[in-house]
Amino acid sequence: MASQTMRRILRSHSIAGRISNLARPFDRSLSSLASSSNPIRVTLFPGDGIGPEIAESVKQVFSEAEVRVEWEEHYVRKKVDPRTQSFLTWESLESVRRNGVGLKGPMATPIGKGHRSLNLTLRKELGLFANVRPCYSLPGYKTRYDDVNLVTIRENTEGEYSGLEHQVVKGVVESLKVITRQASLRVAEYAFHYAKTHGRQRVSVIHKANIMKLSDGLFLKCCREVAKKYPEIAYEEVIIDNCCMMLVKNPTLFDVLVMPNLYGDIISDLSAGLIGGLGLTPSMNIGEGGIALAEAVHGSAPDIAGKNLANPTALLLSAVEMLRHLNLNNKAEQIHKAILKTISEGKYRTGDLGGTASTTDFTKAVCDNL
């Protein structure tokens, strides 16, 4: 069963590697960079907590695989930059805009401190409108479910996360959910193109339009409009609460799921839990013009920071997705196979996967399997 699952995963990614990952409106023509003899410059945010350790793992694996990447590192500051209203500096954001591609470790935002979330700052300032989270069973790592192979695509810029809140009177707070036609059409177009170019058969739109008739209703209307342009892709609409039940009963019912911001935050984490957790799940944020920021979406785990215990799998797999975005498909496949083999063999698993290996041990094993 494990070998069949591995072949299925690698085959689906091989299909993706032979075709463009992005629709033309989002294409930055990065293939020319990938074919250049010069290293590709990538903005790297090591992040907080365990971030620097797992970022170092990515750098070691890339070096061993001879990936021609030049890292431009930027760090989270301790003081708020008034230009961004967060701990991220304007220079950091300009680096991603200039390079067109970045990789981000976990970043912790203190709760209730009155400044913008680091992740929200990145998404808003860089126009990263779609969060793409492939979620697939890893060969040799047994969970409650087998053969999970779905993708969540989350609208990243508005919805309940628009940041528009105010106190009406003492004890009454109003938070505004914003859904726009422009953003809805954009993420729907990306979702259907993703399905088409990655050999996917069905797109499921997740919503609560039975209650939020205007906001989610507009999102649904836009998705229906885009679906007509892709008659070869099956289309369905699923209410968010029913979707959660269906996922935990039988996740193989789903293929590609597209949804507004809050639902995407919930469903993507739920899906990660089906295959072992956020530590095993890659993530990519896509913006217009082909700008992309790959990231590990798990927490910064300050309790184990600096102890050489962190699992770098999520950031490694996100880096693999970044390489596919750059059309460096051969290198992406090489590293992806090495990661899957390391986990499948079971000898060098970190504590979160039931093993005793250190971050260094796991990284070395991946390098050896290259």
Side-chain angles (χ1 to χ4, degrees), residues 191-208:
F192 277 91
H193 182 82
Y194 183 99
K196 180 179 179 180
T197 57
H198 287 72
R200 299 281 178 164
Q201 305 300 315
R202 183 172 66 260
V203 170
S204 305
V205 179
I206 313 304
H207 68 94
K208 193 65 177 176

Side-chain angles (χ1 to χ4, degrees), residues 29 33 35 44 99 117 119 131 134 193 215 234 240 249 262 277 298:
S29 299
L33 292 175
S35 62
L44 175 63
N99 296 330
S117 156
N119 293 320
N131 177 250
H193 182 82
S215 55
I240 175 68
K249 286 185 66 177
L262 175 62
H298 56 69

Side-chain angles (χ1 to χ4, degrees), residues 163-337:
L164 300 174
E165 293 185 313
H166 62 275
Q167 181 173 279
V168 181
V169 294
K170 189 175 181 179
V172 180
V173 173
E174 191 171 59
S175 180
L176 302 181
K177 172 176 178 173
V178 177
I179 297 288
T180 66
R181 174 176 169 80
Q182 178 188 11
S184 300
L185 286 173
R186 185 172 55 181
V187 74
E189 185 71 50
Y190 182 81
F192 277 91
H193 182 82
Y194 183 99
K196 180 179 179 180
T197 57
H198 287 72
R200 299 281 178 164
Q201 305 300 315
R202 183 172 66 260
V203 170
S204 305
V205 179
I206 313 304
H207 68 94
K208 193 65 177 176
N210 55 324
I211 303 298
M212 284 167 275
K213 300 181 185 299
L214 291 179
S215 55
D216 282 21
L218 175 58
F219 188 83
L220 270 185
K221 182 179 179 181
C222 292
C223 290
R224 291 167 183 168
E225 187 175 324
V226 173
K228 293 177 181 178
K229 298 160 58 177
Y230 295 85
E232 70 278 18
I233 304 294
Y235 173 78
E236 67 175 350
E237 299 169 356
V238 185
I239 296 175
I240 175 68
D241 40 323
N242 187 39
C243 175
C244 292
M245 181 191 68
M246 293 170 66
L247 276 169
V248 297
K249 286 185 66 177
N250 184 7
T252 62
L253 294 173
F254 292 99
D255 197 354
V256 174
L257 302 87
V258 62
M259 62 211 84
N261 208 332
L262 175 62
Y263 310 153
D265 196 2
I266 296 168
I267 293 295
S268 58
D269 276 22
L270 188 158
S271 298
L274 303 176
I275 56 97
L278 294 176
L280 300 175
T281 309
S283 176
M284 177 75 86
N285 296 286
I286 300 295
E288 286 189 345
I291 192 170
L293 181 67
E295 65 174 336
V297 293
H298 56 69
S300 59
D303 56 321
I304 62 170
K307 298 180 180 179
N308 199 24
L309 298 174
N311 179 6
T313 299
L315 193 61
L316 281 167
L317 290 176
S318 298
V320 166
E321 295 300 318
M322 180 188 76
L323 291 179
R324 291 197 175 101
H325 174 76
L326 292 167
N327 289 325
L328 295 173
N329 297 302
N330 290 336
K331 294 297 184 183
E333 289 301 310
Q334 181 186 5
I335 296 172
H336 190 231
K337 289 178 181 178

Side-chain angles (χ1 to χ4, degrees), residues 63-82:
S63 176
E64 186 71 22
E66 298 181 349
V67 181
R68 295 182 59 79
V69 163
E70 179 181 332
W71 302 105
E72 184 179 321
E73 296 190 30
H74 287 261
Y75 292 87
V76 176
R77 300 297 178 89
K78 295 183 179 180
K79 292 184 178 180
V80 172
D81 186 328

